[in-house]
Amino acid sequence: MIILGIDVGGSGIKGAPVDVSTGRLVHDRFRLVTPPGAHPGDVAATVRAVTEQFSWRGPIGLAMPFRVKEGVAKTAANIDDSWIGTNARKLFAKATGCKVAVINDADAAGLAEITFGAGKDHRGTVLVLTVGTGIGSSLFVNSRLVPNTELGHLRMRGTIAEAWAANSARKRDALTWRAWAERFQAYLSYAEFLLDPDLIVLGGGISRPKRTAQYLHLLKTSAELVPALLQNEAGIIGAACAARKLRK
Ligand code: BGC
């Protein structure tokens, strides 16, 4: 079954048709710039443009950077506040004329990693963290997703964890990789204290091999700690998987 997966991020909206039985993209991904402010109507128009690129009529899975329940956005960090309370599923269905499923972006990336990537065949408690502008989290217990965990919003050092330990904080505060790894270590230790996972998968931009070489050896965890395998494509693949139950 082929499903269009679309990942809505702070800087880009990326989509590709995905074979959800293999996790492979069946076309190159297509990317448009996220409209400034990321207001719901503008994002919906850009999502529509992505679907038009593929002349898409089938089901669509969308990964969004907010907590989502029954298609409705419950939070909005690094995206316009007017998303809160918006029925994103209805909005995107209307804009595209297609059946739509909406999932948190970190949950989507986690779903892809647990099904096809670094978490494949791992039972027990698996925590997937996506580290970029924010920190996204997804939690699996015996391969079952516990949705909307939002562990990037844990409070630390008088602020929220992602404002202090995400990759954007490393850039903003001009930290060396070693100095950033010290912060991220404190965050990981806190997450481990709360959940005692068996495996932690690190995703997002920092999971590229060139990047992991800078800091992975500095981090110490009780859980096995591994970089994500699907990197930039995880959100698209997981979003498509989340729409598996939809029919045309
Ligand atoms: C949002 C999460 C999202 C993460 C990664 C956080 O700011 O609250 O919902 O998963 O960023 O995009």
Side-chain angles (χ1 to χ4, degrees):
M1 187 180 191
I2 312 290
I3 295 179
L4 182 63
I6 300 181
D7 189 3
V8 175
S11 52
I13 298 182
K14 300 154 275 180
V18 177
D19 180 338
V20 292
S21 57
T22 61
R24 294 254 159 79
L25 269 51
V26 299
H27 285 288
D28 286 345
R29 63 184 194 148
F30 177 67
R31 181 184 189 275
L32 291 173
V33 171
T34 304
H39 297 281
D42 298 341
V43 171
T46 310
V47 162
R48 182 196 165 106
V50 173
T51 63
E52 282 169 351
Q53 171 73 16
F54 296 105
S55 309
W56 194 256
R57 291 267 138 264
I60 304 174
L62 275 135
M64 300 296 302
F66 45 63
R67 187 171 258 172
V68 54
K69 268 209 157 140
E70 304 292 332
V72 178
K74 298 289 177 186
T75 57
N78 305 314
I79 194 160
D80 193 67
D81 275 352
S82 61
W83 279 98
I84 300 174
T86 298
N87 190 321
R89 185 166 62 203
K90 277 198 186 149
L91 176 77
F92 291 127
K94 197 164 169 226
T96 61
C98 298
K99 289 230 162 127
V100 166
V102 183
I103 183 173
N104 170 263
D105 58 356
D107 284 347
L111 207 51
E113 290 295 335
I114 204 98
T115 316
F116 306 109
K120 194 166 174 241
D121 299 328
H122 275 265
R123 298 195 56 83
T125 305
V126 178
L127 176 63
V128 182
L129 296 171
T130 61
V131 186
T133 309
I135 297 179
S137 65
S138 65
L139 183 68
F140 294 83
V141 181
N142 293 335
S143 309
R144 238 195 129 92
L145 174 66
V146 180
N148 291 318
T149 44
E150 288 285 355
L151 294 187
H153 289 252
L154 289 174
R155 289 208 75 83
M156 286 186 78
R157 306 297 198 272
T159 179
I160 56 167
E162 66 178 11
W164 183 68
N167 197 32
S168 55
R170 180 184 66 81
K171 293 182 192 158
R172 180 196 62 216
D173 298 344
L175 301 177
T176 60
W177 280 103
R178 182 169 289 276
W180 173 77
E182 269 177 37
R183 290 191 187 185
F184 196 65
Q185 175 67 61
Y187 173 70
L188 277 179
S189 299
Y190 190 14
E192 282 214 290
F193 164 73
L194 290 173
L195 297 168
D196 192 21
D198 301 295
L199 174 72
I200 302 176
V201 178
L202 289 185
I206 61 145
S207 61
R208 271 182 255 131
K210 237 172 99 179
R211 291 281 178 91
T212 54
Q214 308 279 344
Y215 68 84
L216 204 57
H217 60 288
L218 301 170
L219 301 173
K220 301 265 172 298
T221 51
S222 311
E224 190 186 342
L225 178 67
V226 295
L229 286 181
L230 304 167
Q231 295 158 24
N232 267 342
E233 287 170 359
I236 294 175
I237 297 167
C241 290
R244 240 181 315 212
K245 289 194 193 120
L246 301 173
R247 293 273 173 273
K248 265 194 183 178

